[in-house]
Structures are given as C-alpha cells and as structure tokens.
Amino acid sequence: MKDHYIDAVTGQLVVDGDPFLIRGIELHNSTSSSAEYLQPLWERFAGAGVNTVLAPVSWELVEPREGEFDFGLVDAMLTGAREHGLKLVLLWFGSWKNGSSSYTPVWVKRNPYRFPLQFDAAGTPLDNLSPFSAANRDADAAAFAAFMEHLARVDGREKTVIMVQVENEVGLLGAARSHGADAAAAWEAPVPAPLVDALRSGASPHVRAPLEPSAPTWGALTGDADRTAELFMAWHYATYIQHVAAAGRAHHDIPMFVNAWLDSIVPDESSRADVVFAGGQAPGVFPSGGPLPHVSAVWKLAAPAIAFLAPDVYFGDFEIPFKDYADTNTALFVPEMRADAHGVSHSFLAIGKYGAIGVAPFGFDSLGVDETRDLRRTYAQLAALETEILRAQTQDRVCGFRVRAGEEEPITFGRYEFVIKAHKERGEGENLGYGLLLWSGEHTFIAAGHNFTVDLRPDGDRPVAVLQADELVAKDGELVPQRRLNGDETAAGTRIRIAENPDRVHGFMPASGSLSGVVRFSLHSRERSHGSPGPAGQRPVVVDGG
C-alpha cells in the first residue's frame, strides 16, 4: 500500500494512511532559492495554521552543470518543514514555468541547437522549449528522476513530501501552435488512434475527428483552427510530461499533478456569457496546450502518470473553474489563488461544495500580519474541523458557500432547510459572508466561517427552532464548547450568527458575536397532535430533534 495517494473512490488525498486536508500556502517563486532566506519563515507558516507549504524546486539550481546535482536546497526545505510539523508539496520548475522556459539550466539555454525552442508563424523563436524534442524531454526527465530518487532516499521514511507538481503552467505563449521544423513534422503525422477514438466520442467541445477509418493528420481534424492547434499542443505537452513524470515515479511513487494558467472563455458561452476568470481569450494569448478542462481528455490519455489537473485561480468567478476541474478530475486541488481576503473567502467553497483536497493561497511569505488575518482565521477553523469535514465530504453532508449582502444561499440536509445570508450590521459592516454548513448528526449541525447567518425554514407546517447551540473552540486538538449561545445570540432560537462584531439586534441592544466562528447547534420542530384539546383549549405539543 502506498503511503500517499489519491483515493480513486472518494477523491481525497491520503497521507500516511489517513485522509488529509491541505491548508497550504505557495511560496513566491524565488523564496526557496535560498535556505538562509527561507529559514526564519517556517515558524511563521506553522503559527498561521498552515499544514503544507508549496515550494519550487528549480532545475537550474539542482543541476547547475549537466549530470552534476546539488539537492542542498531540497534538504534544507525538508529539515525546516519537519522541525515545524509541516508537509511539503514540491513544484518542479523544469522545462516550463508560466508558459516560458526561464528555469532551465544555463547549459540548456546556451545550446539552442541541442535544446531547441519553439517558433511562431513568422519564424521568430519563443522562450519556450520545444515539447517535440527528445533531447529536451530526456534532459528534463533525467534531472527529475535524480530529484525523485533523492527524495526517495532522504524522505522515504519521514514522508514529508506528499505530492509533486510536474512543471508549472505549461503551454505556448505567442502562437496557438509551434511552427518549428519538429512541430511541422508532428503536425503532418497521424493523430494517435486513442485520441481519434476519443474525439469521435465527443471528448472535445471544439474539435472532431472525421468518421473515415483511416488515421487523420492533425490538419484533417474539423473544428476551430486555433482550438485544433491547442489540442495538438496539449497532446505533445502531455506526452512530454508523461515521460518526465514516469521517470520520477519509477524512483518515488507519490501523487503528481499539473497546474493551469486559465483562459478567459468558459466552456459553454451560451449559458455563461461574458464571464472572465483569467488569462486571454485565444490559445497563445493564454498558454496554448495547458491542462484546461476542455482538453482534459487529451491530458488523461497522454499523461496517465499525472493524478489530476489543477487550476490556478486569481480573478473573476472562482466557482466556474472549481466546478469544471471537480467535474473532470478525480480530485480538486487549488495550488494557487489570491492570498487576500477575496481569495481566502473561496476556501470553504472549494472544500465544502466541491470536495477539494485543499487550497494554497500564493505569496503568504511577503504579507504582513494584517494582510493574512483572513487566512489565519480560516485555517484555524479548518484545522479544528478537519476530521469532521473529511468524513462529511464522502457522505454529502457538507456544503461550502460564499454570499454577498442581499443574496441568499439555500441548503437542504435531510428534512431541514436553511437559508444562508451575509451578515451585515446596521451602518458600516462587511457585505460578504463565507463558510460551511456541516450535518454532523440526525438533528445536529456545525456552522463555521465568517460574517453570515443561518436562518431556519419550517419543516412543512411545523416551525423549526434551535434546541441548543454552543460556540466551539479548539483545545488540545479537539473542539470543545466554550459558551452556550441563547437569547440575543440566537435571535430567540431562530437564527445562528457567525459574526465577530456585536450586532444591534433590537436597534439598541448589542448581541455578542461568535469569537471562534464555529458553532454546533441542534434543532427541534413542533407539531400539534391529533388528540383532544388541553384544559386551555390547546392541543399537546410534540417535540422531536435533539
């Protein structure tokens, strides 16, 4: 049995035999290039509730001369993480990083004849190693294999590294497809038979294969020309990365994934028009061939060593890529997103609604205490609820949300219906609420997050009320009740409030807010019996729930 793997049934990440929820951060690109620079940051990471650090490993630094390897920086990261009880996800910045090849070693950059670049239609070389070159592929694979062999040797027992990202935001910028001699030959070659079969079965929303039994060339595929070019690049990037990943997995078999620089065209424009969430609007403006949802079938066919594809999400409607990647992958992971309040507010949505194995806001290491307040609060809540969340993810008993003032989010668990609203104080206050609602028992629930209310809907003709509510705090690794909430704090048993600041419930009387942002509550409903009226003309009350 593997120590770390993606469970094919649940889609969860298993670490040392148990499901694991990543409360991650991704370092700035150059932070891990200096052990001395990184050393004082470890304590700050651990103190923020982080349990996993995503850090680059640069090909240019580990193989400064061909065949000579230096993994001192990797060893320093392993030491720092272990000393502070943290896990690592290491990011292999090899042939490509953000649509360019800036992390290749000097001996690669200085020899473009041996290690060829790609070209645009005008014949201009682009800063992007050719994925059609066996020399490029084999050099990268040899370095990656040495890196993974080293990990197996120095981390095989401690198992600090739980996943590896292979390359970073691959794809071609500046052209929809490469026009070098090697690419031209590949364009005229037959499309691989498994991909032809997949295209004939509707694997691409943009490109089709002709029905004739003969193997078509890439130019014979039908559909939008730029999308055909993108599909062509996706196949060859994925094939190259499969070779690299397989070389590494032969030495150390832990989950590997790839991440995507997103485009700005959603897959179904007719139903989600004018929605922009990153990148550009055409292949080559965003990195053509990268692991986007509409080419995910290509990546899965060509790169079976890759466990899942992951989105880097910074702009627009985060929920669109969350859903698209959750729908097209065994697991959802967000290895990069904004570390400000806007980005962090999507954490519960990814984890609670789309079953993500975790999130990793980018650039925490350059932010001050005030700028990381939302992240630290959110991670404290996720840490306290990790066991409950992981169990609930497999049973459809948790739902994450993010609501603005004036919006409502309905949630139904069993017989109970709830309405989530952003909590807005009278006068000045926040206009965004986010968190999760978790069904932990037949009549018991947990609400966690920031700045929202949970209103209770009737159960048919029976009113539903709060039977008991406790604010929970983490103590010795467990959630324990701190305050019994009632009266003003539950609006007389009709509402659960997750808000740090006092609320003017009656216009003048302040109600105390929730300090931890985690409340466990149970519900009960009342119905009139069909018996005889009581002495005052009232029917008996039947109470259930608890």
Side-chain angles (χ1 to χ4, degrees), residues 420-542:
I420 310 298
K421 300 177 184 177
H423 170 74
K424 186 171 176 62
E425 303 167 30
R426 299 190 178 197
E428 296 298 321
E430 296 183 69
N431 62 358
L432 177 70
Y434 55 88
L436 60 79
L437 187 63
L438 188 150
W439 186 11
S440 63
E442 185 178 2
H443 307 288
T444 307
F445 302 84
I446 295 175
H450 179 62
N451 203 56
F452 65 89
T453 61
V454 182
D455 289 342
L456 314 176
R457 282 183 171 168
D459 178 12
D461 62 352
R462 301 184 301 176
V464 174
V466 176
L467 180 65
Q468 182 175 308
D470 292 300
E471 181 180 61
L472 304 181
V473 296
K475 185 176 182 180
D476 298 328
E478 296 183 0
L479 280 173
V480 296
Q482 177 171 260
R483 292 187 298 163
R484 172 61 52 84
L485 304 178
N486 208 329
D488 296 336
E489 278 65 60
T490 64
T494 64
R495 168 180 288 182
I496 298 297
R497 287 189 321 111
I498 303 291
E500 291 181 338
N501 299 320
D503 179 33
R504 307 287 174 173
V505 176
H506 304 298
F508 64 90
M509 182 183 296
S512 172
S514 171
L515 302 179
S516 70
V518 182
V519 174
R520 180 172 58 211
F521 62 97
S522 56
L523 303 178
H524 67 146
S525 56
R526 293 181 169 88
E527 64 179 349
R528 299 186 185 279
S529 75
H530 299 290
S532 302
Q538 298 178 342
R539 297 184 183 276
V541 174
V542 177

Side-chain angles (χ1 to χ4, degrees), residues 196-197 199-202 208-216 220-222:
V196 172
D197 292 341
L199 291 173
R200 287 172 177 163
S201 299
R208 296 287 184 272
L211 297 178
E212 293 80 3
S214 60
L221 299 178
T222 60

Side-chain angles (χ1 to χ4, degrees), residues 88-140:
L88 290 172
V89 173
L90 296 180
L91 318 175
W92 177 246
F93 284 9
S95 292
W96 301 290
K97 195 271 180 188
N98 289 30
S100 74
S101 296
S102 60
Y103 279 82
T104 57
V106 169
W107 53 270
V108 171
K109 292 174 181 173
R110 286 179 171 173
N111 196 345
Y113 296 101
R114 180 183 170 196
F115 303 110
L117 298 171
Q118 302 191 70
F119 294 82
D120 65 15
T124 304
L126 302 170
D127 181 22
N128 194 303
L129 280 184
S130 171
F132 308 95
S133 165
N136 291 347
R137 179 199 66 195
D138 293 346
D140 191 336

Side-chain angles (χ1 to χ4, degrees), residues 257-345:
F257 67 96
V258 292
N259 64 326
W261 172 333
L262 300 179
D263 63 0
S264 62
I265 300 294
V266 297
D268 182 5
E269 294 175 341
S270 63
S271 65
R272 294 184 286 185
D274 300 323
V275 179
V276 177
F277 55 87
Q281 298 186 353
V285 180
F286 63 85
S288 182
L292 295 168
H294 58 270
V295 293
S296 61
V298 171
W299 277 86
K300 291 177 182 179
L301 279 172
I306 297 301
F308 58 87
L309 318 181
D312 292 349
V313 191
Y314 287 94
F315 305 105
D317 187 346
F318 285 30
E319 190 162 6
I320 294 173
F322 288 174
K323 182 179 188 306
D324 288 343
Y325 278 85
D327 287 347
T328 54
N329 286 271
T330 302
L332 171 64
F333 178 47
V334 188
E336 289 186 38
M337 68 182 193
R338 289 165 57 175
D340 61 6
H342 177 84
V344 171
S345 69

Side-chain angles (χ1 to χ4, degrees), residues 383-403:
L385 291 171
E386 179 173 354
T387 301
E388 293 264 15
I389 291 171
L390 290 168
R391 185 184 303 118
Q393 279 183 332
T394 66
Q395 301 171 354
D396 294 327
R397 286 175 173 257
V398 61
C399 187
F401 49 82
R402 184 177 182 274
V403 290

